[in-house]
């Protein structure tokens, strides 16, 4: 298990992803190939863990058992926000937590309800996150890209737009 995340870093990551509903959840399959699955982030708890619903009959469930190191990517292109979270996934079958996180959107995937024997959770314990957030300076970014295209020089990135959060 990883050390407790600092409250500041957890809040910083939460602030970045709390409004992004969907993520691409990347695992390694039994052949070592990367597989990405769209998932709905249910919660980021106070410890910084990300929670997702899944079925015990999925490749994702099996992949996590064999190789728990995962990546979860969040994107909100209209806002210029991209976040990549690296961490360790854990398979969780706790009916109390399933009931706590249950909502009508999950019911669409699991019509037999939260007590369906196939319903499970995945908890991701993040190690780190990397972000690109250009919403505050979109015009500056567009100008930098246009200038780079003309001059052939890579665009300069504002340090506030790109960063890493250690968790």
């Amino acid at each position: 298990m990883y050390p407790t995340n600092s409250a500041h870093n957890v809040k910083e990551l939460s602030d970045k992803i709390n409004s992004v509903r969907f993520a691409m959840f990347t695992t390694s399959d039994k052949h070592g190939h990367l597989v990405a699955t769209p998932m709905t982030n249910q919660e980021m708890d106070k410890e910084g863990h990300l929670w997702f619903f899944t079925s015990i009959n999925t490749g994702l469930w099996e992949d996590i058992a064999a190789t728990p190191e995962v990546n979860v990517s969040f994107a909100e292109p209209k806002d210029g926000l991209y976040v990549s979270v690296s961490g360790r996934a854990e398979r969780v079958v706790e009916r109390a937590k399933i009931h706590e996180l249950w909502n009508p959107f999950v019911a669409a995937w699991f019509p037999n309800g939260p007590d369906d024997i196939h319903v499970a959770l995945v908890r991701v314990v993040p190690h780190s996150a990397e972000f690109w957030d250009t919403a505050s300076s979109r015009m500056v970014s567009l100008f930098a890209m246009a200038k780079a295209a003309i001059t052939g020089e890579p665009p300069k990135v504002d340090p506030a737009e790109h960063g890493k959060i250690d968790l």
Side-chain angles (χ1 to χ4, degrees):
M1 193 62 109
Y2 296 97
T4 304
N5 303 335
S6 80
H8 170 76
N9 291 357
V10 169
K11 182 173 178 352
E12 184 178 7
L13 178 57
S14 179
D15 288 348
K16 296 277 184 209
I17 67 171
N18 69 1
S19 66
V20 184
R21 183 143 175 85
F22 302 104
M24 291 302 290
F25 195 113
T26 304
T27 60
S28 295
D29 70 11
K30 64 184 175 184
H31 305 290
H33 301 143
L34 297 176
V35 179
T37 305
M39 301 285 283
T40 305
N41 184 26
Q42 299 301 316
E43 171 183 78
M44 181 173 179
D45 65 25
K46 63 183 178 183
E47 289 84 27
H49 304 155
L50 304 173
W51 290 89
F52 301 88
F53 276 97
T54 193
S55 169
I56 63 170
N57 295 327
T58 62
L60 182 131
W61 188 254
E62 295 305 315
D63 293 348
I64 290 169
T67 309
E69 294 300 318
V70 300
N71 180 271
V72 184
S73 298
F74 297 85
E76 194 61 71
K78 70 178 175 46
D79 295 334
L81 175 68
Y82 304 89
V83 181
S84 174
V85 179
S86 298
R88 183 173 188 81
E90 301 170 351
R91 302 181 337 162
V92 178
V93 182
E94 293 176 11
R95 290 293 149 206
K97 187 68 175 177
I98 289 169
H99 278 271
E100 176 190 328
L101 294 176
W102 193 260
N103 63 70
F105 297 108
V106 178
W109 291 98
F110 299 101
N112 295 326
D115 293 316
D116 181 330
I117 63 169
H118 300 105
V119 176
L121 294 166
V122 174
R123 173 178 43 217
V124 175
V125 179
H127 316 212
S128 65
E130 195 160 354
F131 66 87
W132 297 263
D133 188 353
T134 60
S136 61
S137 59
R138 185 172 305 226
M139 289 308 294
V140 172
S141 295
L142 289 173
F143 176 75
M145 286 188 275
K147 181 179 173 186
I150 293 168
T151 65
E153 302 271 329
K156 293 188 174 27
V157 178
D158 179 345
E161 293 177 358
H162 176 246
K164 187 169 182 180
I165 304 169
D166 290 318
L167 296 158

